[in-house]
Each structure stands twice: as structure tokens, then as C-alpha cells.
Amino acid sequence: MRATLNGMQSTFRLGRFAGIDIGVNWSWLVIFGLIVWTLSQSVFPNQNPGHSDNTYLLMGAIAAIAFFASLLGHELGHAVQARREGMQIEGITLWLFGGVAKFRGLFPSAGAEFRIAIAGPLVSLVLGGLFLLIARASLPSTVDGVIWWLGFINLLLLAFNLLPALPLDGGRILRSALWHFKGNFAPATRLAAGIGRGFGYLLIAGGIALAFVEGIFSGVWLAFIGLFLLQAAHAEASRARTRGVLTDRRVGALMTPNPVSVDIDTTIGAFMEHVAWPRLHATYPVVDGSRVVGLLVRRCAQEIPRSEWDTRSVSVCTIPLERVPQFREEDPAERVLATLTATRTGRGVVLDGERLVGVISLSDLARAVEPRQA
């Protein structure tokens, strides 16, 4: 299962592949353990009888690792194609429900979203077909069992992912088609998300029924997937409404002009006493003369020991300008939303050349959205 969830963070970093950060969320350990347990206790003993418990456990562990490698390949398909379309990739995270490829920014067009959405399923199709083809060869029973299961599970997940329910890949393919023919992203998202919610309700109902027929574990798991799909579809629709409200709005109309700034040579003590306490903000632009050099994070300054306040400058808590989102007054607000959502601070600076003219945050965008949505 795949979804684009900006809030999903990696607990463990595995490394980089093709320039893309790969990580694992702690919840992945739960599903990994469940897969190994299910395969070693039920699937492989029934499918390939006559082996020891340790053999089945080893088969289950190898199959689970290869399965998540397949999921990683699926997500890399999305990520590589997204990069070809000019989008920035924050990384890939494996978690409880599979994998998440985190994109920064908006899909540039309906065609781009279609190509990005279809890339992952194409990888799964190739992997599933390849595994089943290998399984036709004369192999030891233990190897054949693992290879056959990998082919089956990749094709099963391919079929599920192609359901026309946002945020699954099939839902994104559907939205891209609706976006292309309607010429409007927001209505296309509302319809695709509505279908996604419908599938979510069906899975929840099916899970409840399955709990009575097959057992509580299978039923609860299916209902849990349905709940996830329901919530994710709602989130997609909410983001589309926000994007619709911000369409044609510009940064200059939404920013906070003439923000309180801090000189780079200011000590932590002077900042806390004369700036932070009277004007409580999460961040403050840092300047060197008339030039902006970064963004000061107040929480970081508060964590500096008081004994060091008069000896350390605000530079120790300043995010360098090259890592701070930078905008112009004429920039469209919807793209600002996409950029700020992907940052930890949720804030950026608005510049006129090198001159600071304002700051803009997710809170500024929220104030613009709430009255319109109400």
C-alpha cells in the first residue's frame, strides 16, 4: 500500500539510493514481525510441508525482507519519475502500511501526476511477473515457496494499489485523468477522494464481517486498512480545498510585513530579554546589516543554558538562509503552502532582492483559508 504522507518520519535511516534518502519508521517493525510470523506458522507449512520450524522461520524472514525490498522498488519508481518531472524528493520511508515517497511541492500537471502514479505499479508488475517466472524453474522446495509467494504478493498489492481510490495509485491515476478532462485539480480531487472514502467504508464493513467468519485478527486488520484509507482520502480532499482557496492569492497579500528581526551579533541573553519576551514568535529573521542571513528558532535559544546567554550569539540557533524557504511578493500562495508544509519550521522569508520585506508561515496561510472555508 502506498500513500503520500508528509508527516510520516523515518525512525532509522538506511542510507541513500540514486540520491534518495531511504528510512524506516518504527511501525515497520510491527508489520515485519507479523509477516514473518504468518508465513512461518501458516503459509509456508501449508504450501511447502515437511520442513522444520527453523526452516519455516528462515523462509519467512527472507520472504519478508525481499517483500519490503519490493516495496522499496515500487516507491523508487515513483520517486525517480517524480524527479524526472522536476519535483524534489525528500526521501522514502517504509512503515506499517508499506512505503511512502515524500514529494516536495505540487504536481506540475495532470500528465506528470499520471506518469508518477503509474511508475510504481509498473515496477510491481515487473517484479511480480519476474518472481513467478523464476518460480517455474526447477528449484528446491524452500526456495520455490519463497519465490512463488513474492510473485503472488507483488501482483496482489499491484491489484489493490490500482483500485481507483485516492490516495492509492489507482486513485491518483483517476484524479490525473479527471484533472486532464475537467481542467481543474480541486474538483478532480474531491471526486477521487469521495471514491476513496467509499472504498474505506467497504473495507471497514468487510473487516467486521470477516471477523465473524474467519477470525478477529483478519477482520480487524482489513478494517484497520479501511480506516487508514478513509482518513487519508479525507486529508487529500482537505488539502485540495485549501489549494482551491489559495488559488490566485499572492504572498504579498498574506505575509506578515516588516517583521521583527535580530542582528547576527546579538547575544542569546539580549535576544531573550529585549526581543523574545516582548514579542513572542516561533522564529525571527536574522540580519547582518541590511542583508538577511537566516532564521532564528526561539525554542533553540530557550534551551541554551542561562549561564551561556551572555557569551553566545544568536548565530548558534540560526538556520542559514540557504536552508530557509525564500519567496517573492508575487509568488503564488498555493506553491508556498506546498513548500512550507515540507519544512520543520513551517516558515519562510519574503525578499525583494536581498532586502527583507516580510515573513510568511503556515499560520498566515491558515488565516487566509479559514474564513473562505467557513
Side-chain angles (χ1 to χ4, degrees):
M1 182 183 296
R2 179 191 172 272
T4 302
L5 303 174
N6 290 329
M8 180 56 55
Q9 300 294 328
S10 297
T11 307
F12 312 104
R13 185 176 180 273
L14 299 182
R16 291 174 67 85
F17 183 85
I20 299 169
D21 283 324
I22 310 297
V24 174
N25 183 266
W26 66 267
S27 60
W28 173 81
L29 298 173
V30 176
I31 190 62
F32 180 83
L34 284 173
I35 290 175
V36 173
W37 180 78
T38 302
L39 291 176
S40 62
Q41 298 298 313
S42 177
V43 175
F44 288 145
N46 293 330
Q47 177 182 296
N48 305 89
H51 300 288
S52 67
D53 291 343
N54 287 338
T55 299
Y56 290 130
L57 185 61
L58 180 61
M59 290 172 66
I62 292 173
I65 292 171
F67 168 62
F68 279 99
S70 300
L71 284 178
L72 181 57
H74 178 109
E75 296 305 322
L76 282 170
H78 290 300
V80 170
Q81 183 60 42
R83 197 158 58 182
R84 288 176 180 169
E85 301 292 343
M87 298 185 68
Q88 290 183 301
I89 310 300
E90 289 190 19
I92 293 173
T93 299
L94 299 177
W95 73 301
L96 182 65
F97 285 120
V100 176
K102 294 177 283 187
F103 309 140
R104 177 177 294 180
L106 305 173
F107 293 112
S109 67
E113 180 173 25
F114 172 80
R115 291 186 291 272
I116 293 169
I118 198 66
L122 287 177
V123 172
S124 295
L125 177 63
V126 170
L127 289 174
L130 183 62
F131 282 128
L132 291 181
L133 185 63
I134 294 173
R136 294 174 63 89
S138 180
L139 298 170
S141 173
T142 53
V143 177
D144 178 77
V146 172
I147 297 296
W148 186 91
W149 181 82
L150 287 170
F152 166 77
I153 199 67
N154 270 282
L155 294 182
L156 179 64
L157 287 173
L158 168 67
F160 180 77
N161 255 310
L162 287 179
L163 289 176
L166 204 64
L168 300 179
D169 292 331
R172 297 191 182 281
I173 292 170
L174 172 63
R175 178 172 66 182
S176 68
L178 294 172
W179 183 7
H180 174 75
F181 290 111
K182 288 178 174 289
N184 195 313
F185 178 84
T189 300
R190 284 197 296 270
L191 179 55
I195 295 173
R197 286 193 293 269
F199 274 101
Y201 285 122
L202 283 175
L203 289 176
I204 292 172
I208 294 173
L210 189 63
F212 288 101
V213 177
E214 294 290 336
I216 190 68
F217 177 79
S218 299
V220 168
W221 188 248
L222 186 63
F224 195 29
I225 294 174
L227 181 62
F228 161 78
L229 192 60
L230 189 65
Q231 293 176 334
H234 176 76
E236 289 280 354
S238 178
R239 282 194 290 270
R241 285 195 299 270
T242 300
R243 176 175 173 176
V245 170
L246 294 177
T247 299
D248 299 328
R249 305 294 295 276
R250 301 293 168 180
V251 170
L254 303 178
M255 70 180 186
T256 301
N258 304 316
V260 177
S261 60
V262 183
D263 189 270
I264 188 66
D265 294 323
T266 304
T267 63
I268 295 291
F271 162 71
M272 295 299 294
E273 181 178 354
H274 301 296
V275 181
W277 298 133
R279 307 172 188 86
L280 198 60
H281 302 298
T283 60
Y284 301 80
V286 179
V287 297
D288 184 1
S290 60
R291 184 172 60 90
V292 183
V293 296
L295 203 61
L296 170 63
V297 180
R298 176 175 55 83
R299 178 175 292 181
C300 171
Q302 289 177 325
E303 292 173 352
I304 300 292
R306 279 184 173 269
S307 59
E308 301 177 16
W309 276 16
D310 293 331
T311 58
R312 305 183 70 177
S313 75
V314 295
S315 61
V316 298
C317 290
T318 298
I319 303 172
L321 185 61
E322 57 268 19
R323 290 170 47 198
V324 176
Q326 301 169 45
F327 307 105
R328 298 290 184 264
E329 291 182 82
E330 63 273 13
D331 287 343
E334 59 178 323
R335 293 201 175 274
V336 174
L337 173 65
T339 301
L340 295 184
T341 302
T343 66
R344 291 187 178 275
T345 62
R347 287 167 172 79
V349 295
V350 185
L351 305 176
D352 180 5
E354 292 188 348
R355 185 174 64 90
L356 177 70
V357 295
V359 294
I360 189 163
S361 66
L362 290 174
S363 298
D364 295 323
L365 298 179
R367 282 192 292 270
V369 168
E370 289 170 359
R372 292 282 294 276
Q373 288 190 342

